[in-house]
Amino acid sequence: MTLSHYLLTHLRDSNIQAELNLIISDISDAGKKISHEVQRSGLLGLHGAAGGKNVHSEEVQKLDDRTNEIMKSILSDNEHIIGLASEEEKDIVDVSRGRSTGFIVAFDPLDGSSNIDINGSVGTIFSVLPSWSDIRHDFLQPGRSQLASGYVLYSSSTVIVFTVGKGVHEFTLDPDDGEFILTQENIKVPSTGKYISYNEGHKAKFRKSEASAISKLMDDGGSARYTGALVADFHRTLLKGGIFLYPAVKSGDGYIGKLRMQYEVKPLAHVMHEAGGIALINNENAMEVAPDELHERVPFVFGDKKIVKKYQEYRYDSK
Ligand code: AFP
């Protein structure tokens, strides 16, 4: 079944607003274009840095710019969308053209973009929220207010995985006819996962209780996996179970998280939650936490319920 057919059927069965259908359809169109660019990037000289830094002081890759433009141009043409926030933009992009209510979309156009040069997996992440008047304020709603969230993963195949609050579904792009085809419906995270996914290079800068909890999980028979692209690490965790951790790392006198609340944490927490897993910011349910500012970064942990509960015991209960 194609994505467009599925959205129409789903819409009829579950009263999901027609506008969301069109937004997901537009995001899937952007995903097709980005997939094409990613596949040709080596041939088009699109590897490497663009020569500037983004709002997070990170080096912008050439494809970051290009994919950001693709997302902005497709989504700003959607008549139901009134505001955009991108990991690559300093400020929100107002596309309201006089409308005061509608939908706002936050996105990371190319997550894991440093993987591009080595033909590694990368992805686009998105989060759709309702907005009533003040776009800037409405982006700061907690994860549970999201109407739709998901990602497109560009890897050995291109898949779009999303939720509109009615389960998590995966569609795979058929390169022959350019259609996304349903490949997995109502995905549930298996609770038998043994994969532990974190950047071991940062371990010395984690809080002691954090590092010790991770060591205990490994001692329980964990197996290490880490790609450096959150979307790819998320997709593996969704399908195979296990736990992903990007804890706060020591910086000056304090500890800071790296992952962005709007563009990475909120949408992926929504998908994880819908698939029966858990996502945490510190020790709180990530769906309940509202960002204080647009580009806020937080520590992030997610995975199947069994292993995340074990992590919580090791990390917080046995202090
Ligand atoms: P880039 O988009 O700059 O490659 O960052 C990717 C990312 O935000 C996320 O996708 C990864 O999980 C995380 O950073 C990796 O960070 P470390 O290199 O510190 O492990």
Side-chain angles (χ1 to χ4, degrees), residues 208-221:
K208 281 210 171 71
S209 50
E210 189 77 57
S212 139
I214 294 174
S215 298
K216 285 183 186 161
L217 291 175
M218 289 305 290
D219 292 346
D220 287 347

Side-chain angles (χ1 to χ4, degrees), residues 111-114 199 202 226 228-230 246 258-260 264:
D111 177 66
S113 55
S114 51
N199 185 335
H202 298 322
Y226 193 73
L230 181 61
Y246 204 115
K258 173 179 182 188
L259 300 178
R260 293 84 174 169
E264 295 172 312

Side-chain angles (χ1 to χ4, degrees), residues 7-51:
L7 286 170
L8 282 173
T9 323
H10 208 67
L11 191 67
R12 202 170 48 229
D13 291 350
S14 61
N15 283 336
I16 293 163
Q17 301 159 61
E19 292 91 331
L20 276 186
N21 177 349
L22 292 170
I23 293 172
I24 290 173
S25 183
D26 278 351
I27 290 169
S28 75
D29 283 348
K32 286 180 198 171
K33 278 197 158 54
I34 295 173
S35 176
H36 190 62
E37 296 279 298
V38 166
Q39 279 174 355
R40 294 186 315 151
S41 58
L43 299 170
L44 295 177
L46 289 174
H47 282 178

Side-chain angles (χ1 to χ4, degrees), residues 268-284:
L268 296 184
H270 189 197
V271 175
M272 190 44 65
H273 178 84
E274 274 295 314
I278 308 185
L280 302 173
I281 296 172
N282 296 313
N283 200 19
E284 270 186 83

Side-chain angles (χ1 to χ4, degrees), residues 74-244:
I74 291 185
L75 296 182
S76 55
D77 277 350
N78 183 307
E79 59 178 326
H80 307 293
I81 296 176
I82 60 173
L84 301 172
S86 163
E87 189 190 293
E88 299 303 328
E89 301 279 334
K90 191 158 183 270
D91 209 346
I92 55 166
V93 182
D94 186 331
V95 292
S96 60
R97 289 169 293 236
R99 291 161 299 162
S100 56
T101 60
F103 297 83
I104 51 178
V105 183
F107 58 86
D108 179 352
L110 202 65
D111 177 66
S113 55
S114 51
N115 269 3
I116 279 289
D117 296 2
I118 50 120
N119 258 319
S121 303
V122 288
T124 300
I125 311 176
F126 63 91
S127 153
V128 184
L129 287 158
S131 179
W132 295 276
S133 56
D134 181 346
I135 298 173
R136 186 172 305 278
H137 175 264
D138 292 338
F139 270 116
L140 303 183
Q141 294 173 81
R144 78 179 126 73
S145 303
Q146 293 169 110
L147 300 171
S149 318
Y151 56 90
V152 186
L153 170 65
Y154 314 102
S155 187
S156 50
S157 54
T158 294
V159 295
I160 182 165
V161 174
F162 68 90
T163 183
V164 289
K166 304 271 172 194
V168 176
H169 318 296
E170 179 205 72
F171 293 75
T172 302
L173 185 61
D174 180 343
D176 287 341
D177 60 13
E179 289 278 6
F180 276 107
I181 308 294
L182 180 63
T183 38
Q184 298 196 63
E185 196 175 12
N186 283 318
I187 298 172
K188 292 290 170 206
V189 190
S191 60
T192 47
K194 60 177 180 151
Y195 292 134
I196 318 289
S197 188
Y198 73 103
N199 185 335
E200 197 174 359
H202 298 322
K203 200 173 178 191
K205 291 197 232 156
F206 294 162
R207 287 184 174 92
K208 281 210 171 71
S209 50
E210 189 77 57
S212 139
I214 294 174
S215 298
K216 285 183 186 161
L217 291 175
M218 289 305 290
D219 292 346
D220 287 347
S223 192
R225 291 285 188 282
Y226 193 73
T227 71
L230 181 61
V231 179
D233 285 319
F234 183 89
H235 196 61
R236 183 196 56 254
T237 310
L238 181 72
L239 300 184
K240 300 286 183 198
I243 186 167
F244 172 94

